[in-house]
Every structure is written in structure tokens, then in C-alpha cells.
Amino acid sequence: MQATIQQIFQSSIDAKQQLLASERLLQLTETVSVLIADAFRNGHRLYLCGNGGSAADAQHLAAEFTGAFYNRNRRALPAEALHVNTSYITAAANDYDYNSIYSRLVEGIMQPGDVLIGLSTSGNSGNVVKAFEAARAKGIITVGMTGEKGGALRPLCDYLFDVPSNDTPRIQECHMLIGHTICQLVEAQIFPA
């Protein structure tokens, strides 16, 4: 069993080493952190969405912005995961279809200049894809976090973190590393020490 544990740990390290070796993804992390900081400074909001573990990661990242990352003495930043209203989610899924749950919220609450981050390891989650289609139609900035293929989200992203892996747990771990890095960089830009 210990050999299996070591193999899992090593595969996680290897995925992160690939991120570290990608100048494109490093630059993209910087670019997106500046973009989000500028959006906050200009009165816009950040929304995030995903399914399953990716929904949990979206909610976790939203909490880092509205709560605090390192700076506990700062004001909250306007970030929210789109799936936190379970009454809405269950009603919309029942009355329309599950693939429409996020796009209807994008249409109803998001404004041009807001930023939408969608997490989908395959890039093919129907509700995230439809949310990005609605966002593009409204002039909302789209940031995708996927695995290496990017799936159907690829052409809908203004910015795409296509993690160089096809292994769902490793992709999700990399999404959180990227997300935490962006949180730290945004916080430092808006609230310099």
C-alpha cells in the first residue's frame, strides 16, 4: 500500500512540475490575476461554477476572495459560486434542465466586465459550456480551468488554463494550486502590505 501512496503523491508532484515548466501557464496566471484585480477595482464581480468536486473548488475559491487569503484585515471582495442557492438550482433543473442552471444566472445577474471562471476537468460539462456561451453573448470575461484537451470550453474561453493532464484528481489539484495563486496575487495587488 505504501508504494501506491508514493505513486499517487509522485503523480501529483509531476503534474505540478509540468505547470511550473509551462511559461505559458505561468504568464497566464499573472495575466488573469491582474485581470481579476482590475475587475474588482472597477466595481465588477467574480463568479465561479463547476460540478461535483469542481463545484466545491469553485465555492472554496470564492470564499478565499470574500473572506481572506492571507490578509485578514482587508475588506471582502465580490466573488460568489453560482451554485450556492440550492432552491434556485433544484427549481431551474426541474423547470428547465440541468444544463441551463448556470446560463440563466449569467443572464440574470452578471454584467459586462464581470469575470466568470468555469472549472471542468473535461471541458465538456454542459451547464458550464452553456454558461460560457451566455457570458460571451453579454461581454463577460471567461476563464476556463480544464484538463489538457480543453473540450467544448476551449473556444469559449478568453483565457484557458488547460492543465497538462488527463487524470481528474491531478487536474483538480492543479486547478486549486492555480486558483490559490491567483487569490494570493489579487489580494496583494488590491491590498498591498
Side-chain angles (χ1 to χ4, degrees), residues 4-18 165 167 169-170 173-174:
T4 300
I5 294 167
Q6 289 174 328
Q7 185 275 324
I8 293 167
F9 283 12
Q10 188 61 57
S11 68
S12 182
I13 291 166
D14 291 345
K16 292 175 182 75
Q17 289 283 3
Q18 288 185 5
S165 176
D167 186 357
R170 304 299 81 85
E173 290 160 8
C174 288

Side-chain angles (χ1 to χ4, degrees), residues 40-41 53-54 68 92 97 103 108 142 153 167:
F40 286 146
R41 283 189 196 104
S54 294
D97 63 86
S103 61
T142 55
L153 277 181
D167 186 357

Side-chain angles (χ1 to χ4, degrees), residues 75-155:
R75 67 177 168 80
L77 295 169
E80 185 175 348
L82 290 177
H83 59 275
V84 296
N85 183 337
T86 54
S87 296
Y88 163 77
I89 294 294
T90 55
N94 184 63
D95 295 345
Y96 300 95
D97 63 86
Y98 188 71
N99 284 341
S100 298
I101 60 171
Y102 293 141
S103 61
R104 291 186 60 77
L105 282 172
V106 169
E107 292 166 359
I109 65 174
M110 293 189 73
Q111 302 297 321
D114 288 344
V115 179
L116 176 62
I117 297 178
L119 294 87
S120 171
T121 58
S122 68
N124 293 317
S125 300
N127 55 4
V128 177
V129 170
K130 283 187 78 167
F132 272 46
E133 290 170 348
R136 294 293 290 255
K138 283 189 78 171
I140 292 160
I141 301 159
T142 55
V143 178
M145 291 188 175
T146 70
E148 70 181 351
K149 293 187 175 137
L153 277 181
R154 181 176 291 280

